Each structure stands twice: as C-alpha cells, then as structure tokens.
Amino acid sequence: GNSVTQMEGPVTLSEEAFLTINCTYTATGYPSLFWYVQYPGEGLQLLLKATKADDKGSNKGFEATYRKETTSFHLEKGSVQVSDSAVYFCALINMDSNYQLIWGAGTKLIIKP
Amino acid sequence: DSGVTQTPKHLITATGQRVTLRCSPRSGDLSVYWYQQSLDQGLQFLIQYYNGEERAKGNILERFSAQQFPDLHSELNLSSLELGDSALYFCASSVDAGTSSREQYFGPGTRLTVT
C-alpha cells in the first residue's frame, strides 16, 4: 500500500541554519508528491509539489526533489527564519490511493532567534 | 487566505451530542474533502464529495455523515459524540473530481472539543 514516512520532530534550529526534513514514501506507480505547511492556529497550505521523477518543487526558499531511486522527497531550505516555525507535512497522491492524499505524520519545526 | 471558509471556528459540546460543521469551497471548486486532525491519529481523510455526489470514503465513522449541497457548500455531521472525537476538522476543496494530482486548498479548520 501507499505510505509516507517523515522524520520525527520537533526539529529545533537557530535562525539562518540549513534545514532538511526527510520524507520517504512507499507507493506503486508514479505518485505526485507534496509538502504542506501548517502555521500555528492555521489550516494547511501547499508549500510545493513535484509530479514526476527528478522534478524539483520550490517555493519561499524551500526546495524538494523527487528522487524515485531512493523514494524520497526531502525538504530543504538554505537559511531558515523564525517565521518558518510550523508543522510540515509530506504527502503523496496516486491512482492507487484513489487520488486521495496519503499523509506523513508531520514534523514540527522550531526556529530560535 | 485559501478561499475555503469553515464555520464555526471553535465548538465545545458534551458527549452524546450532535454537531454540524460547515464548509464553503473556493469559488469554482467542485470537490470538497473532510479531514480530521488529532494528536494521536494525525491527519486522516474522512470523505470526499464531488458536485453533490459522494466520491470517496476514508476512515469515517458510522456516527459521522456528510453531504454537499447544490450550491457546493458541504456539511459534516457528527453524532453521539465521544471524548475521542475532539479534534481539528479541516475542509479542503479542489477544482476536479480527484482524478488527478491537483492540489487541495484547505480551510482554517473547526476545533471541536467534546467534554
């Protein structure tokens, strides 16, 4: 079946540090991959997505590359800010999931000034 | 602002009661999805409607039901509430039937507390 595994949080970093949040998936076929972000007290927002192997999604300084050989979609940012503090969710969607989003558990990110 | 609205923002009720959560999708979106987010279960898909018809079902309890109206807004009805139903309930919408990888746009959620 389909599943998404994310690194456990919380991840605590200092401002301007480099960020990596790991995400690996199990899926048949060729899923599309997403990162959603949930800021405190808010709903989820799409951060970036990639729909095929080797695609790189990017937004607001965040990047993730769809790696089919390692079934991974790790989220990276070169220099984090306090305002990036949030919960980050990795998710996939494909025909086998009946095009429903399959979610990772979420990773809480805390950025200290 | 995603364009998806949910009411109420907060709801506090007692065990055994029934509540209705409301969602209005983005203008032009035909699909509405309901999700439950709790500390122990994480984010779970409950149910999807497309243009008034049920399209897909996830981990929705029999005590829960939903519908989508002709104006495309949707309601999620939760009955015989238990303490474990306390959670954030999100609504999301997308333009298509869920037959592709189009992204979903989420509302701000309704926080339900059952006491």
Side-chain angles (χ1 to χ4, degrees), chain B residues 9 17 29 33 38 48 68 79 86 92 95 97 109:
Chain B
K9 197 171 174 60
Q17 295 298 305
D29 284 359
Y33 307 77
S38 61
Q48 177 202 355
Q68 187 180 27
S79 61
S86 296
V95 66

Side-chain angles (χ1 to χ4, degrees), chain A residues 30-32 34 36 38 41-46 49 51 87 89 93-94 98-101 103-105, chain B residues 9 33 35 37 42-45 48 55-56 88 90 98-109:
Chain A
Y30 301 93
S32 292
F34 302 83
Y36 278 82
Q38 184 178 25
E42 297 185 16
L44 291 97
Q45 303 174 25
L46 178 66
K49 71 174 185 179
T51 57
V87 181
F89 292 89
I93 198 168
N94 68 2
N98 201 20
Y99 291 103
Q100 301 307 321
L101 281 163
W103 299 92
Chain B
K9 197 171 174 60
Y33 307 77
Y35 293 90
Q37 185 180 37
L43 198 57
Q44 289 201 91
F45 165 67
Q48 177 202 355
R55 172 78 173 81
L88 258 175
F90 287 108
T99 54
S100 71
S101 301
R102 294 284 188 95
E103 55 261 38
Q104 297 176 21
Y105 294 86
F106 282 76

Side-chain angles (χ1 to χ4, degrees), chain A residues 6-37:
Chain A
Q6 287 181 238
M7 63 190 292
E8 279 195 36
V11 172
T12 303
L13 296 171
S14 297
E15 211 167 15
E16 299 183 4
F18 184 87
L19 168 72
T20 301
I21 299 179
N22 290 338
C23 170
T24 57
Y25 67 89
T26 301
T28 54
Y30 301 93
S32 292
L33 303 172
F34 302 83
W35 278 101
Y36 278 82
V37 58

Side-chain angles (χ1 to χ4, degrees), chain B residues 13-53:
Chain B
T13 189
T15 54
Q17 295 298 305
R18 173 190 167 94
V19 297
T20 298
L21 313 183
R22 183 188 167 104
C23 167
S24 292
R26 290 189 323 155
S27 176
D29 284 359
L30 299 178
S31 273
V32 168
Y33 307 77
W34 286 98
Y35 293 90
Q36 180 194 59
Q37 185 180 37
S38 61
L39 282 174
D40 53 346
Q41 302 269 13
L43 198 57
Q44 289 201 91
F45 165 67
L46 297 178
I47 197 164
Q48 177 202 355
Y49 278 81
Y50 173 73
N51 205 19
E53 301 287 328

